[in-house]
Amino acid sequence: DTIQLALAYIRREKSSNSINRRAEPEVEKERLIEFIALNNLWYDKEFGIELGRGGEHIVYEDPDDKDFVLKTNNFHHYGSWSDYLINLLLNNTFFPDTSYELIGFKNEHGNILPVVRQHFVPEAIISDLKDVQKYLFNRGFAKIHPLSNAYRNWDLGIMIGDLHDRNVLVKD
């Protein structure tokens, strides 16, 4: 899986096979550029029609397969590449129906943008947040605050947030 390979590569110490869990963001970026080059992951195709944008992603039609969308992430919500890649892995683990495939990276004016592929759900509806809460409670999560849409699983040591009604879609 490209996500796991990229994460392992950017965290690997230069002179050994040990993993550095706290590499500086600049170091991670340098290692990511190496990883992209070594694995020929610069995305140079044209995107399809822009379908929408939010605070984090721009969503495009996949020109090669109408059953998928392509997304670029503006990286505003993440402090490091590790944070972003771990977020993808968590999404894929807890929400497999909307899993991401990391297919490459785009260089936009010196900014590296990840390009991910995700199944397009044409008949998706906005979810009932009570159903989302039940789904997460059944997986060991607790709501952090009654007014927030963030949940924490203390046993796993992770938090999932930004689960507002326009950000969680369901399919009957």
Side-chain angles (χ1 to χ4, degrees), residues 93-107:
T93 299
F94 290 103
F95 307 105
D97 290 343
T98 59
S99 64
Y100 291 106
E101 175 190 4
L102 180 60
I103 62 170
F105 297 86
K106 198 96 163 143
N107 189 335

Side-chain angles (χ1 to χ4, degrees), residues 31-139:
R31 291 183 185 156
L32 180 65
I33 291 169
E34 288 175 12
F35 177 80
I36 295 167
L38 286 170
N39 292 281
N40 196 26
L41 289 174
W42 287 115
Y43 190 85
D44 56 3
K45 294 186 200 176
E46 292 296 318
F47 292 120
I49 297 166
E50 183 179 319
L51 300 175
R53 58 177 66 212
E56 196 172 344
H57 292 103
I58 301 176
V59 182
Y60 302 92
E61 186 176 78
D62 184 336
D64 298 327
D65 190 339
K66 301 300 182 213
D67 291 333
F68 289 88
V69 293
L70 302 178
K71 293 182 174 183
T72 58
N73 188 294
N74 62 26
F75 210 69
H76 292 315
H77 297 355
Y78 302 98
S80 69
W81 280 101
S82 287
D83 289 348
Y84 173 73
L85 295 168
I86 289 169
N87 183 67
L88 291 180
L89 292 172
L90 289 172
N91 182 87
N92 292 355
T93 299
F94 290 103
F95 307 105
D97 290 343
T98 59
S99 64
Y100 291 106
E101 175 190 4
L102 180 60
I103 62 170
F105 297 86
K106 198 96 163 143
N107 189 335
E108 294 277 328
H109 313 291
N111 294 317
I112 300 173
L113 304 177
V115 180
V116 295
R117 190 169 183 248
Q118 187 177 44
H119 275 281
F120 178 60
V121 185
E123 63 276 352
I125 57 173
I126 294 173
S127 64
D128 182 337
L129 292 181
K130 288 184 174 121
D131 292 337
V132 173
Q133 183 171 314
K134 182 179 176 184
Y135 176 86
L136 290 169
F137 283 175
N138 288 338
R139 283 153 183 79

Side-chain angles (χ1 to χ4, degrees), residues 11-23:
R11 287 180 153 190
R12 189 166 309 284
E13 291 289 343
K14 281 277 195 196
S15 60
S16 73
N17 282 334
S18 65
I19 300 295
N20 178 358
R21 303 219 184 271
R22 293 283 177 203

Side-chain angles (χ1 to χ4, degrees), residues 133 143-151 163:
Q133 183 171 314
K143 199 162 190 176
I144 293 174
H145 186 277
L147 301 177
S148 78
N149 291 315
Y151 299 82
L163 299 175

